[in-house]
Amino acid sequence: MMYFPKFLASKLNQRKEDNALRSLSLSNSLIDFSSNDYLGFAKSKVIFDKTHQYLLDKNLKINGATGSRLLSGNHELYLETENFIASFHQSETALIFNSGYDANIGFFSCIPQRNDIILFDELCHASIRDGIKMSNAKSYKFQHNDSEDLEKLLNLYNAERSRGNSKNEIYIVTESVFSMDGDSPNMQELVNLSEKYNCYLVVDEAHALGVFGSNGEGFIKQLQLQDRIFARIMTFGKGLGCHGATILGSSDLRNYLVNFSRSFIYTTGLSPHSVATILVAYRELENGKESIQKLNHNILFFNQQISQLSLKPLFVSGKAAIQSVIFSGNDKVKSISNEFQKKGFDVKPILSPTVPEGQERLRFCLHSYNSEEEISEVLNLLAKFIFKS
């Protein structure tokens, strides 16, 4: 067997010592408080059957895209789906990417230019940060959900831009729902700041699709701010229950991405089946108010229960489907997670270095299909584990 580099082996050993080594596990039959399948669409037989019938009706009996979208992979279903998505989100255009990761690295590696400024929330997702690293722009983080800290940076870099008579642009980057905390920024303040300082606001809505808005259109649409945002990134692997992502914006933005976004240009397109699933899932979302209402009821019920059990001070405040309770230390949070598993509940630990050391947590993901009884039981167990420790 080929020799494995010592440096890489030492990094793996360090992860083991920190009790932070990641591994792959199979799905289980535990009560789900860990997946991002907020509306149950990933397991929906209705969506599966409608997708199959749609492909038969369109006579699309092929397994793959056959190439990149710029070569042979741009089948007609892409255009129909992108038009539907754009209309659903009240955007001028939509452009589908193969994943949320591809969308973020594709956007940030090509849109901000050399000497442009990117100001991003310090808790932005790894895919955003990786895309920013691939950019030639200068980047600086602002404190999480802190509009005052952001404005200090805007004053600083806008003044530099003015003194130099520079045409360099400033991009403000945030998420409408943060994946580890489940909280949201004051989006109205960010929009106002972007307009005051003549900046471009970019919002990742991965964990808002299917959760916010009367039809699950997302946080921005719920606030009616869609016409004041430069770009929105929607990811389909959470509330939509399938795979892929889209970037919403102007026709000029779409054209630029088609011409310069490397993660779009140099990859095989999604199969017709994948794109059909996206379209059918969006149609179900459009008519799926019952699931959305049930999810929002469960979020409200969860917050009521943590108040009654005096657990609220331990949780990060948020109104999304992600609810996180902070525990310090990988060993402790893994131990409590294992106790949940033994009791039949799939509650996952979030360990450092995924989150900063000392901010380790249990993350409860809520779904439309969780019952009040399940929520009550899992929170009573949490209270028992906390008070016991």
Side-chain angles (χ1 to χ4, degrees):
M1 184 176 291
M2 187 172 289
Y3 172 74
F4 192 68
K6 286 185 178 179
F7 178 72
L8 304 185
S10 68
K11 293 186 72 173
L12 281 176
N13 288 330
Q14 187 61 54
R15 282 285 172 92
K16 291 176 184 176
E17 291 175 13
D18 295 339
N19 202 9
L21 186 68
R22 297 183 178 103
S23 61
L24 298 175
S25 59
L26 297 175
S27 59
N28 56 55
S29 58
L30 302 177
I31 297 171
D32 184 7
F33 281 98
S34 69
S35 81
N36 295 324
D37 186 24
Y38 304 129
L39 300 175
F41 279 17
K43 307 177 189 74
S44 170
K45 185 176 185 299
V46 171
I47 291 175
F48 184 91
D49 290 342
K50 285 185 177 181
T51 299
H52 179 69
Q53 189 59 51
Y54 182 87
L55 291 167
L56 292 178
D57 292 344
K58 290 284 187 177
N59 197 31
L60 288 169
K61 299 177 182 178
I62 53 177
N63 297 317
T66 75
S68 75
R69 290 185 66 183
L70 288 169
L71 294 177
S72 59
N74 195 39
H75 42 83
E76 63 182 53
L77 189 49
Y78 260 120
L79 306 183
E80 181 180 357
T81 303
E82 286 172 339
N83 287 337
F84 187 95
I85 292 171
S87 175
F88 182 85
H89 291 292
Q90 292 189 6
S91 172
E92 187 176 343
T93 68
L95 183 67
I96 290 176
F97 282 72
N98 285 14
S99 70
Y101 191 92
D102 283 339
N104 274 326
I105 63 170
F107 179 93
F108 290 104
S109 63
C110 82
I111 294 295
Q113 301 296 297
R114 187 177 301 278
N115 296 323
D116 285 349
I117 302 292
I118 303 172
L119 303 178
F120 65 97
D121 189 293
E122 63 181 345
L123 296 189
C124 276
H125 191 266
S127 58
I128 294 175
R129 298 169 76 100
D130 287 354
I132 290 172
K133 288 178 184 177
M134 297 169 68
S135 169
N136 289 317
K138 301 173 183 177
S139 61
Y140 307 92
K141 61 186 176 184
F142 58 90
Q143 293 174 23
H144 179 52
N145 286 343
D146 190 331
S147 299
E148 289 185 8
D149 189 49
L150 171 61
E151 188 160 20
K152 289 178 185 176
L153 294 175
L154 286 169
N155 274 314
L156 174 64
Y157 295 111
N158 194 56
E160 286 186 8
R161 182 168 63 174
S162 299
R163 284 196 300 270
N165 194 27
S166 170
K167 298 186 184 301
N168 296 336
E169 308 293 356
I170 298 177
Y171 294 86
I172 300 171
V173 184
T174 191
E175 301 178 24
S176 59
V177 177
F178 283 85
S179 60
M180 291 296 108
D181 288 2
D183 58 349
S184 300
N186 185 326
M187 201 59 69
Q188 184 65 62
E189 284 186 0
L190 294 184
V191 168
N192 292 342
L193 286 174
S194 70
E195 293 174 347
K196 178 180 177 180
Y197 291 94
N198 194 26
C199 303
Y200 296 97
L201 181 57
V202 182
V203 183
D204 186 313
E205 292 233 76
H207 292 275
L209 178 60
V211 179
F212 289 93
S214 59
N215 289 101
E217 304 97 327
F219 196 58
I220 298 300
K221 176 64 171 54
Q222 177 175 283
L223 298 175
Q224 292 295 304
L225 295 173
Q226 63 271 16
D227 295 329
R228 300 168 68 184
I229 308 291
F230 177 65
R232 287 175 282 166
I233 294 96
M234 296 282 176
T235 300
F236 307 145
K238 282 79 176 176
L240 211 62
C242 47
H243 195 73
T246 189
I247 296 178
L248 306 172
S250 67
S251 57
D252 285 340
L253 175 60
R254 175 188 162 94
N255 288 336
Y256 194 89
L257 290 168
V258 168
N259 279 275
F260 294 99
S261 176
R262 295 173 70 85
S263 66
F264 176 85
I265 297 166
Y266 298 109
T267 191
T268 300
L270 293 172
S271 70
H273 189 279
S274 293
V275 182
T277 304
I278 295 166
L279 177 59
V280 171
Y282 257 105
R283 287 176 173 172
E284 289 298 306
L285 194 61
E286 188 176 46
N287 300 306
K289 289 187 177 181
E290 184 177 343
S291 294
I292 296 168
Q293 289 169 356
K294 184 63 167 64
L295 172 62
N296 283 295
H297 169 80
N298 283 345
I299 294 169
L300 178 62
F301 183 76
F302 187 96
N303 277 281
Q304 291 170 342
Q305 291 296 295
I306 62 175
S307 292
Q308 290 180 17
L309 293 167
S310 301
L311 296 172
K312 199 169 186 67
L314 301 177
F315 277 82
V316 178
S317 178
K319 298 179 180 179
I322 298 167
Q323 302 284 328
S324 290
V325 59
I326 306 298
F327 291 94
S328 181
N330 283 346
D331 291 342
K332 184 173 183 179
V333 75
K334 287 184 79 171
S335 174
I336 296 177
S337 173
N338 288 335
E339 291 297 318
F340 274 115
Q341 305 277 324
K342 293 175 184 176
K343 296 293 185 179
F345 291 93
D346 195 14
V347 180
K348 289 292 197 298
I350 307 297
L351 311 174
S352 58
T354 299
V355 293
E357 190 171 346
Q359 292 292 305
E360 297 83 3
R361 69 209 43 207
L362 291 173
R363 185 173 66 164
F364 294 82
C365 292
L366 305 177
H367 314 91
S368 60
Y369 49 84
N370 290 133
S371 68
E372 289 187 359
E373 291 75 18
E374 290 169 349
I375 293 171
S376 294
E377 188 175 353
V378 80
L379 288 176
N380 276 290
L381 282 171
L382 175 64
K384 179 181 176 182
F385 296 149
I386 288 174
F387 297 140
K388 185 176 71 174
S389 62

